[in-house]
Amino acid sequence: MTVGREGHSQVGSGAATRVEAEPSAGSAIRISNVTKSFGAPGHGPTVLRTIDLTVRENEFVSLVGRSGCGKTTLLNIIAGLERPTSGTVEIHGRAVRGPGQGQGVVFQQHALFPWMTALRNVVFGFRDASLSKSDKQERARELLQLVGLSAAADKYPREMSGGMQQRVAIARALALDPEILLMDEPFGALDELTRIELQQELLRIWEARKKTVVFVTHSINEALALSDRVILLAPHPGRIERDLAIDLPRPRLRTDPRFIALHEEIWKGLSS
Amino acid sequence: MNRERLTNIALPLIGTLIVVAVWEAASRLGAIDPRVFPGPVTAIAEAAGRLSADTVGEHMAWSLFRVFSGFALGVAAGVVIGVLAGWYRWFGLIARPLIELLRPIPPLAWIPLAIIWFGLGEPSKFFIIFLGAFFPVVTATYHGVTNVDPILVRAARTFGVGGWSLLARIVLPAASPDLATGIRIGWGLSFGVLVAAELIAADRGLGYMIMNERNTGGSVSVIIVGILLIGFLNLLTDAAIGSAIQRWIGRWHGSGV
Ligand SMILES: Nc1ncnc2c1ncn2[C@@H]1O[C@H](COP(=O)(O)OP(=O)(O)O)[C@@H](O)[C@H]1O
Ligand SMILES: [Mg+2]
């Protein structure tokens, strides 16, 4: 496997090197006092209000909340696709000014480029200018293998099932070798079986690659199966309601009484 | 699947044959006057007697050359202006009202101006045919560029792709199905105004062949054969363009255009 953690400073153009001695060392993402409203300042409803959240390196954090409570908006702000109205987001101590600073994103719909094969979609993900075309192809094949899709390299997105498309999207995001992986309900449109399969794959990849993951879902089971921490967002305006550490060993069984108790707790938090 | 393909080919052929047979029968039974509307067999025989295959071939070649030239110019201008109008907001704000104002004008209405501007030679004909291709292509390109799925743009941005690179690598390919539709419609319109363009004092081309026959009191058979040739040529070239488009985007886009 040549796609390693080495060389992840390639992301972004002339990005500053990591400041290891920051007081925030060990925290991968630091969201401070983030507020977001769309439209002219002072107008439009507040979508997010005073969000403070720190995600540690290699932590798997889920955002759970009703639809419309601002999960996607918060994820987009971390991704640098959306600017906060006020407040700051830092990744490894660097202020986020836009996308391509080490954030890999997997969207709810696969968002693959339909005119590219699976392989070319993943090749697109390599932004490192020092890699030759054949290097990129070789590494893209390795990533497709990692997500279990070696055989589908030459298929176009429309020729793949939803589960396969999402696997390619994950491989493409990994091609950036991102420090953090942001996932917005990536398995929301999949059937139950495929969904569970991909959850297991994701855990395997996360453990092998040691990524920091922020994962949006509206499935309590999914959040509990995957996360080190579950953040409950409350709507109108979007704000953090609870921050639950999930201290269960993996793989987790839904029949585990502690799993059930946590499920109950989150459920209560969401419906209050 | 195979059976369906067979049906798809056989039925149109059978339908055409029936129409031709009814036409021939009607002429033989005297239901239509052969002096103004000869049957297909008579028409082809008479036309073949009056014109050599070489002459017809030359007229066809000239017509095709004009359509291709005008069409190529129209597509080139339509793509460039459509992309710029879709990509630069300010340019779109300037260009779109103008395009919307001129678009509904039938290309034929430009003929008098075309003669004044470009004279009676080839350029005035190119211009009319150009208009036939330009408006569908510019409209479809603009639509394609401004309607790219925003999720694709966001996805590209997460890889640090922006600016011209975003246009070339994401927006243009994403807009290509719309572009293909515009090209296909533009080809049909270009062909449609061909005869009219060749009415501008041409001395060759299928349009000239038809009008010349009428003006010199020649055979109605030549006119009928000429008209059918135009339809036939259009059909063939359209099918060729359709299959080229299919090869271009069919595999990833699914259905053709
Ligand atoms: N671009 C936008 N312009 C205006 N309002 C928006 C925009 N994006 C999201 N919103 C609003 O912000 C709120 C949160 O949206 P979103 O972050 O998508 O929620 P979630 O992902 O939790 O379902 C919603 O009320 C939505 O209507
Ligand atoms: Mg959402």
Side-chain angles (χ1 to χ4, degrees):
Chain A
M1 193 67 46
T2 52
V3 187
R5 289 284 285 169
E6 293 78 30
H8 51 57
S9 56
Q10 92 276 18
V11 181
S13 45
T17 44
R18 257 152 87 175
V19 188
E20 298 291 355
E22 275 288 282
S24 60
S27 73
I29 307 170
R30 204 155 64 154
I31 301 169
S32 322
N33 219 351
V34 159
T35 300
K36 176 73 183 177
S37 48
F38 288 98
H43 300 270
T46 307
V47 172
L48 294 172
R49 195 179 66 193
T50 51
I51 304 285
D52 282 297
L53 178 63
T54 303
V55 179
R56 283 187 301 276
E57 199 153 348
N58 302 339
E59 199 172 24
F60 197 126
V61 173
S62 285
L63 303 177
V64 180
R66 285 173 187 281
S67 100
C69 71
K71 305 182 294 292
T72 295
T73 306
L74 182 56
L75 207 72
N76 283 339
I77 288 174
I78 304 171
L81 291 169
E82 206 89 71
R83 282 182 179 284
T85 306
S86 64
T88 57
V89 178
E90 288 175 3
I91 291 177
H92 289 293
R94 266 185 275 131
V96 169
R97 304 197 191 288
Q101 284 182 235
Q103 315 99 309
V105 185
V106 178
F107 298 89
Q108 174 165 17
Q109 308 106 313
H110 59 79
L112 296 176
F113 304 120
W115 58 92
M116 297 183 190
T117 60
L119 185 70
R120 283 197 49 219
N121 263 286
V122 180
V123 166
F124 183 92
F126 289 99
R127 296 283 99 194
D128 187 345
S130 68
L131 285 176
S132 75
K133 199 176 165 192
S134 61
D135 280 349
K136 287 181 185 175
Q137 282 190 348
E138 191 186 321
R139 292 184 184 206
R141 282 188 197 284
E142 284 166 6
L143 283 175
L144 283 177
Q145 193 174 13
L146 180 73
V147 297
L149 274 188
S150 305
D154 297 323
K155 280 192 170 17
Y156 285 88
R158 64 177 281 270
E159 300 167 333
M160 295 185 267
S161 67
M164 291 162 81
Q165 291 168 342
Q166 233 22 337
R167 286 169 195 262
V168 178
I170 291 170
R172 184 179 65 176
L174 290 174
L176 265 181
D177 198 14
E179 291 157 345
I180 59 175
L181 196 52
L182 305 169
M183 308 181 85
D184 191 359
E185 303 192 36
F187 310 145
L190 305 179
D191 63 88
E192 182 78 7
L193 274 177
T194 314
R195 174 182 258 242
I196 290 171
E197 223 173 83
L198 263 90
Q199 288 169 6
Q200 287 164 355
E201 296 268 315
L202 178 61
L203 280 182
R204 188 175 57 74
I205 292 167
W206 170 68
E207 268 155 17
R209 293 297 174 95
K210 283 299 158 209
K211 302 280 179 208
T212 306
V213 179
V214 180
F215 189 99
V216 170
T217 177
H218 55 238
S219 158
I220 303 174
N221 276 329
E222 187 165 65
L224 281 175
L226 298 174
S227 324
D228 297 319
R229 259 163 89 200
V230 175
I231 312 287
L232 260 65
L233 290 181
H236 309 302
R239 60 197 186 276
I240 293 177
E241 172 91 9
R242 307 239 356 225
D243 185 338
L244 279 157
I246 312 300
D247 225 348
L248 302 176
R250 295 182 183 87
R252 294 170 179 164
L253 289 174
R254 288 189 198 190
T255 46
D256 185 333
R258 289 170 299 174
F259 190 108
I260 296 171
L262 282 164
H263 192 291
E264 190 68 12
E265 200 172 343
I266 297 175
W267 174 252
K268 280 202 190 113
L270 284 178
S271 42
S272 64
Chain B
M1 186 63 216
N2 230 338
R3 204 194 149 97
E4 198 184 309
R5 264 195 83 147
L6 195 69
T7 315
N8 285 346
I9 295 170
L11 271 187
L13 276 180
I14 292 171
T16 311
L17 281 178
I18 288 175
V19 170
V20 172
V22 168
W23 175 15
E24 180 68 27
S27 130
R28 287 192 184 223
L29 297 174
I32 49 178
D33 181 354
R35 278 168 308 169
V36 297
F37 197 0
V41 173
T42 318
I44 290 171
E46 257 187 51
R50 288 182 53 83
L51 298 166
S52 73
D54 277 359
T55 318
V56 176
E58 201 180 310
H59 287 311
M60 268 172 39
W62 266 97
S63 291
L64 277 178
F65 165 68
R66 287 183 183 129
V67 184
F68 269 118
S69 315
F71 170 76
L73 291 174
V75 169
V79 168
V80 169
I81 294 176
V83 167
L84 292 180
W87 188 245
Y88 295 109
R89 219 178 91 79
W90 63 269
F91 186 73
L93 285 174
I94 296 171
R96 282 199 58 228
L98 285 172
I99 291 168
E100 286 309 307
L101 176 74
L102 300 179
R103 193 165 60 99
I105 302 172
L108 306 193
W110 291 86
I111 286 179
L113 264 185
I115 294 175
I116 293 169
W117 288 348
F118 302 109
L120 293 171
E122 292 303 321
S124 57
K125 297 172 194 73
F126 289 161
F127 179 67
I128 302 299
I129 295 168
F130 163 90
L131 292 175
F134 173 74
F135 287 106
V137 170
V138 76
T139 311
T141 307
Y142 175 81
H143 182 266
V145 168
T146 50
N147 282 278
V148 174
D149 188 349
I151 194 89
L152 297 182
V153 174
R154 289 183 154 236
R157 286 182 58 212
T158 66
F159 294 97
V161 171
W164 280 86
S165 173
L166 185 68
L167 178 66
R169 301 193 58 190
I170 306 300
V171 173
L172 288 187
S176 54
D178 280 308
L179 181 57
T181 308
I183 285 178
R184 193 116 191 233
I185 296 172
W187 177 254
L189 278 183
S190 287
F191 225 98
V193 297
L194 165 69
V195 176
E198 287 179 345
L199 293 181
I200 313 174
D203 51 7
R204 46 204 160 177
L206 289 173
Y208 161 80
M209 189 179 96
I210 294 168
M211 273 320 277
N212 185 50
E213 201 68 14
R214 162 81 182 78
N215 293 338
T216 59
S219 159
V220 70
S221 292
V222 170
I223 296 179
I224 288 176
V225 168
I227 286 173
L228 289 179
L229 268 180
I230 290 172
F232 199 62
L233 266 188
N234 194 354
L235 197 72
L236 274 184
T237 48
D238 182 68
I241 288 180
S243 87
I245 286 173
Q246 191 63 31
R247 272 198 306 278
W248 175 29
I249 59 171
R251 172 100 192 266
W252 66 265
H253 186 247
S255 60
V257 183

Coordinates of all heavy atoms in Angstrom, one line a residue, chain B residues 12 16 19 29 60 72 75 91-92 104 121-122 141 143 146 182 189 204 208 211 236 239 257:
Chain B
P12 N -40.8 0.8 -39.0 CA -40.6 2.0 -39.8 C -40.5 1.8 -41.3 O -41.1 2.5 -42.1 CB -39.3 2.7 -39.3 CG -39.2 2.1 -37.9 CD -39.7 0.7 -38.0
T16 N -43.1 3.0 -44.2 CA -42.6 3.8 -45.4 C -43.1 3.1 -46.7 O -43.6 3.8 -47.6 CB -41.1 3.9 -45.4 OG1 -40.7 4.4 -44.1 CG2 -40.7 4.9 -46.4
V19 N -46.7 3.7 -47.4 CA -47.1 5.0 -47.9 C -46.7 5.1 -49.3 O -47.4 5.6 -50.2 CB -46.3 6.1 -47.0 CG1 -46.5 7.5 -47.7 CG2 -46.9 6.1 -45.6
L29 N -54.2 4.6 -60.3 CA -55.7 4.5 -60.4 C -56.3 5.8 -60.8 O -57.5 6.0 -60.9 CB -56.2 4.1 -59.0 CG -55.8 2.7 -58.6 CD1 -56.3 2.4 -57.2 CD2 -56.4 1.6 -59.6
M60 N -26.0 18.1 -54.5 CA -26.0 17.6 -53.1 C -24.7 18.0 -52.4 O -24.8 18.4 -51.3 CB -26.2 16.1 -53.1 CG -27.6 15.6 -53.0 SD -27.9 13.9 -53.2 CE -26.6 13.1 -52.4
A72 N -21.1 24.7 -38.7 CA -19.9 24.7 -37.9 C -19.6 26.1 -37.3 O -19.3 26.2 -36.1 CB -18.7 24.3 -38.8
V75 N -22.2 26.6 -34.5 CA -21.9 25.8 -33.3 C -20.8 26.4 -32.6 O -20.8 26.6 -31.3 CB -21.6 24.3 -33.6 CG1 -21.0 23.6 -32.4 CG2 -22.8 23.6 -34.1
F91 N -21.5 39.1 -18.4 CA -21.6 38.9 -19.8 C -23.0 38.3 -20.1 O -23.6 38.7 -21.1 CB -20.5 37.9 -20.3 CG -20.5 37.8 -21.8 CD1 -20.1 38.8 -22.6 CD2 -21.0 36.6 -22.4 CE1 -20.1 38.7 -24.0 CE2 -21.0 36.5 -23.8 CZ -20.6 37.5 -24.6
G92 N -23.5 37.4 -19.2 CA -24.8 36.8 -19.4 C -25.9 37.9 -19.4 O -26.8 37.9 -20.2
P104 N -36.3 34.5 -31.6 CA -37.6 34.1 -32.2 C -37.7 34.5 -33.7 O -38.6 34.1 -34.4 CB -38.7 34.8 -31.4 CG -38.0 35.4 -30.3 CD -36.5 35.5 -30.6
G121 N -23.2 36.1 -52.9 CA -22.4 35.0 -52.9 C -22.6 34.0 -51.8 O -23.6 34.0 -51.1
E122 N -21.6 33.2 -51.5 CA -21.7 32.2 -50.5 C -21.9 32.7 -49.1 O -22.7 32.2 -48.3 CB -20.5 31.2 -50.5 CG -20.4 30.3 -51.7 CD -21.6 29.5 -51.9 OE1 -22.1 29.0 -50.9 OE2 -22.0 29.3 -53.1
T141 N -26.3 25.6 -24.7 CA -25.1 25.7 -23.9 C -25.2 26.6 -22.7 O -24.8 26.2 -21.6 CB -24.0 26.3 -24.8 OG1 -23.9 25.6 -26.0 CG2 -22.6 26.3 -24.2
H143 N -27.9 27.1 -21.0 CA -28.7 26.3 -20.1 C -27.9 25.2 -19.4 O -27.9 25.1 -18.2 CB -29.9 25.7 -20.8 CG -30.8 24.9 -19.9 ND1 -30.6 23.5 -19.7 CD2 -31.8 25.3 -19.2 CE1 -31.6 23.1 -18.9 NE2 -32.3 24.1 -18.5
T146 N -25.4 26.8 -16.9 CA -26.0 27.4 -15.6 C -26.7 26.4 -14.8 O -27.1 26.7 -13.7 CB -26.9 28.6 -16.0 OG1 -27.8 28.1 -17.0 CG2 -26.1 29.8 -16.5
G182 N -28.6 20.8 -28.2 CA -28.5 22.0 -29.0 C -28.0 21.7 -30.4 O -28.5 22.2 -31.4
L189 N -32.3 22.6 -37.9 CA -32.7 24.0 -38.3 C -31.9 24.4 -39.5 O -32.3 25.0 -40.5 CB -32.7 25.0 -37.2 CG -33.9 24.9 -36.3 CD1 -33.8 26.0 -35.2 CD2 -35.2 25.2 -37.1
R204 N -26.2 26.6 -57.9 CA -26.1 25.1 -57.6 C -26.6 24.9 -56.2 O -26.8 25.8 -55.4 CB -24.7 24.6 -57.8 CG -23.7 25.5 -57.2 CD -22.3 25.3 -57.9 NE -21.6 26.6 -57.5 CZ -20.3 26.8 -57.8 NH1 -19.7 26.0 -58.5 NH2 -19.8 27.9 -57.4
Y208 N -31.4 25.3 -55.3 CA -31.4 25.8 -56.7 C -32.0 24.9 -57.7 O -32.8 25.3 -58.5 CB -29.9 26.2 -57.0 CG -29.8 26.3 -58.5 CD1 -30.1 27.5 -59.2 CD2 -29.3 25.2 -59.3 CE1 -30.0 27.6 -60.5 CE2 -29.1 25.4 -60.7 CZ -29.5 26.6 -61.3 OH -29.3 26.7 -62.6
M211 N -35.8 25.1 -57.4 CA -36.4 26.3 -57.9 C -36.2 26.5 -59.4 O -37.0 27.1 -60.1 CB -35.8 27.5 -57.1 CG -36.5 27.8 -55.8 SD -38.3 27.7 -55.9 CE -38.7 29.3 -56.5
L236 N -30.2 11.0 -43.0 CA -28.9 10.3 -42.9 C -28.0 11.1 -42.0 O -27.3 10.5 -41.1 CB -28.3 10.2 -44.3 CG -28.7 8.9 -45.1 CD1 -27.9 8.9 -46.4 CD2 -28.5 7.7 -44.3
A239 N -29.0 11.0 -38.4 CA -28.7 9.7 -37.7 C -27.2 9.6 -37.4 O -26.8 9.1 -36.4 CB -29.1 8.6 -38.7
V257 N -29.6 11.6 -27.2 CA -30.3 12.9 -27.2 C -31.3 13.0 -28.3 O -31.0 12.6 -29.4 CB -29.3 14.0 -27.3 CG1 -30.0 15.4 -27.2 CG2 -28.2 13.9 -26.2

